[in-house]
Structures are given as C-alpha cells and as structure tokens.
Amino acid sequence: MKWIRVRTYRTLPDAHLALNELVHAGLPATLRGESRAPLAGELPFPDARIELWVEVSHAETAEAVLAEIDDAAAGEPRRCPKCGEENPPAFDMCWSCGQGL
C-alpha cells in the first residue's frame, strides 16, 4: 500500500480536524509528526509541521474533501438567529446556544 502526503499543518487541532473529515468520508488517512508539533520554536517551524497522509489511490478524493473544508472556512461569519452571536463560517450550529445556523 503506497501513501502520499496531501497536506501539512502547523497545529494539532487543524490536523486532527482534517483527518477526522477524511476518516468520516471513508478514506484511509493518518497523521505523521504529531510528536514534533509541541517542539515548534525548539525545532525550525517547517520541521515541526504535522503531515496528513492518504493512500495514493484516494489522493484525488482526499483533495476534494479538503477543498470543501477550505471553502467553508473562507466564507463570511454568520449570526445566530436565536441569540445573535457571531459564528465562524464553517459552523453549522451556534457555538453559544446550539441553535442550527
């Protein structure tokens, strides 16, 4: 089984969010370099990045899933119709009251 790196991330939360989306989509994916992330600053920043890898045969689908994440994050913030709180564009539910957006 051959694997290919599809993305690198600066933070563990960002890497895990992307990994979870790929796994949820049924794609074989894994992270490499998680133990280096806390060493950013001790190591040069490029060396402390977390790598997201998928099987080569699923690389195109993985890129499409990751592009959807990027598109969702690039939108405008949304106001909650219930409490009026501003939410990031990728949120489907209000972070404050749980109302669907």
Side-chain angles (χ1 to χ4, degrees):
M1 190 172 351
K2 288 192 170 196
W3 292 77
I4 186 170
R5 184 182 68 205
V6 290
R7 296 278 174 96
T8 61
Y9 295 91
R10 291 183 191 159
T11 67
L12 285 169
D14 289 341
H16 278 278
L17 285 171
L19 174 67
N20 289 340
E21 287 295 321
L22 294 181
V23 169
H24 182 72
L27 302 174
T30 189
L31 295 177
R32 296 182 186 171
E34 290 178 271
S35 61
R36 295 186 308 235
L39 300 175
E42 303 277 334
L43 292 174
F45 286 102
D47 294 341
R49 289 184 175 247
I50 304 108
E51 300 174 344
L52 179 59
W53 290 71
V54 297
E55 284 185 18
V56 170
S57 61
H58 296 282
E60 190 173 313
T61 306
E63 286 292 352
V65 170
L66 296 171
E68 287 179 22
I69 296 169
D70 294 343
D71 291 345
E76 293 293 319
R78 298 189 286 177
R79 289 231 174 259
C80 175
K82 182 177 178 184
C83 72
E85 192 64 41
E86 189 172 277
N87 291 270
F91 282 28
D92 292 327
M93 295 177 67
C94 177
W95 68 267
S96 180
C97 71
Q99 173 72 31
L101 301 173

